[in-house]
Amino acid sequence: NASNASGIYQLEYLVASLQTMVPVAVLLTGEDAGCDEACVAKTRECFECVEEDDPGRFDLQDLKMRSLSKKGLPANVKVIVVLGGDVWPVSDDDEDFGQLAALGPHGGAKLVAAVRDGGAVYIGICAGAFTALELEGFGLAGKVRIVHREVFGCSEMGEVNGYIALAAGDQVVPEVLSVMQTLLPAAWYDNGPLFECDESDDIRILASYEGPLKFEGEADSQVAKEWEEHGPKMEGKAAVILCRVGKGAVVLMSPHPELSEGCGEVIPQLAAAVQRWISDA
């Protein structure tokens, strides 16, 4: 009857209204784009485990990285997550592979615009951090430097992974650091970049590697055999950096919160905390 129909309509309207109140986060995906599926799956779980009334609750939407140049990002996107995988082609025969090739100049420009002009937060983890520094529109390449990349990041001497402790930076944003507390005692490192930077109000080291890494790579690799020489290079290097970019922000993360034990909510809570930071500025 009419009253029931009216009640159903009001309920549907209420549900739709509540859904629009939940901020949108986009997870860029695609194995053909160099996005690691294990990292993608774990990150979905991280967002799904957040309670509905929690500030870290987002409407997480998957978007193929390769389609970004045509589809673009949702107009109301608040967070963009780019995970581990491959930034560049792994061979000369596969020039279209990797995150940068998948984005292309148009996709990269749309991503940058969402952050710089739209006020979104870009969270780049491992390969996603490498990719952020390659996007000229962010303007970070001259401000944040990647060091020892032949050993840490590009795996030229073999895979480097394992748990390592982090130490809080000297110029942290307390509200942002507070949501990373579970990550500090033991963060999972897996071939991520080591950073150096000159800190300012717009570029802050949230955490650095404290070491030593509990090496879990292949025992017969070159880097394993030379670990006593290379291992100490991690200590003191920046692991997580917060950068203000236009109206938005970029978070560069070397370790993997989504793969670190007991850190399931770090990524969504970090996204929410950084959103509050740029809103309060």
Side-chain angles (χ1 to χ4, degrees):
N1 58 33
S3 60
N4 286 340
S6 176
I8 292 172
Y9 172 79
Q10 291 176 0
L11 179 60
E12 291 176 343
Y13 178 81
L14 177 61
V15 170
S17 298
L18 289 173
Q19 288 176 335
T20 59
M21 293 172 61
V22 178
V24 172
V26 169
L27 177 61
L28 295 183
T29 67
E31 285 188 281
D32 63 335
C35 299
D36 185 90
E37 266 305 310
C39 294
V40 169
K42 282 291 187 180
T43 301
R44 287 197 196 102
E45 293 177 11
C46 292
F47 278 85
E48 290 169 359
C49 74
V50 180
E51 298 292 336
E52 290 189 8
D53 59 346
D54 193 287
R57 182 73 175 181
F58 289 88
D59 173 16
L60 184 67
Q61 301 177 11
D62 284 10
L63 178 64
K64 293 288 186 183
M65 184 174 282
R66 202 170 291 280
S67 68
L68 179 57
S69 60
K70 293 182 179 179
K71 291 185 177 180
L73 291 156
N76 59 341
V77 64
K78 296 296 183 183
V79 176
I80 304 160
V81 183
V82 182
L83 299 170
D86 294 286
V87 183
W88 301 277
V90 294
S91 71
D92 294 336
D93 299 328
D94 202 5
E95 295 181 357
D96 291 333
F97 181 75
Q99 294 183 359
L100 288 175
L103 280 173
H106 297 299
K110 290 182 178 180
L111 199 159
V112 168
V115 175
R116 183 174 288 281
D117 302 325
V121 173
Y122 175 106
I123 297 180
I125 299 172
C126 196
F130 274 109
T131 294
L133 294 178
E134 292 291 327
L135 295 175
E136 292 185 10
F138 283 152
L140 296 174
K143 302 173 182 177
V144 178
R145 302 171 294 281
I146 296 176
V147 297
H148 308 305
R149 65 169 64 205
E150 70 285 352
V151 179
F152 302 96
C154 294
S155 307
E156 293 179 13
M157 300 174 64
E159 302 286 326
V160 179
N161 48 54
Y163 275 101
I164 184 170
L166 307 180
D170 295 328
Q171 299 185 38
V172 299
V173 179
E175 182 181 13
V176 177
L177 181 67
S178 68
V179 302
M180 294 174 48
Q181 290 300 318
T182 57
L183 188 65
L184 298 184
W188 179 255
Y189 172 87
D190 200 335
N191 300 302
L194 303 186
F195 304 115
E196 289 182 348
C197 68
D198 300 318
E199 290 190 86
S200 65
D201 288 342
D202 291 339
I203 298 182
R204 307 190 187 202
I205 297 173
L206 295 180
S208 297
Y209 285 117
E210 193 169 36
L213 177 84
K214 296 179 180 179
F215 186 87
E216 296 186 24
E218 296 180 1
D220 60 349
S221 66
Q222 182 183 352
V223 70
K225 295 174 182 177
E226 301 176 10
W227 188 244
E228 287 189 9
E229 174 189 349
H230 298 296
K233 294 176 182 178
M234 294 188 74
E235 298 185 31
K237 296 299 184 291
V240 185
I241 300 179
L242 174 61
C243 311
R244 191 185 302 279
V245 176
K247 297 179 180 178
V250 171
V251 181
L252 305 171
M253 301 195 77
S254 172
H256 289 261
E258 79 282 11
L259 302 179
S260 301
E261 187 175 350
C263 298
E265 292 193 12
V266 167
I267 297 175
Q269 296 295 352
L270 177 65
V274 176
Q275 269 285 313
R276 292 191 290 271
W277 177 63
I278 58 179
S279 297
D280 293 343

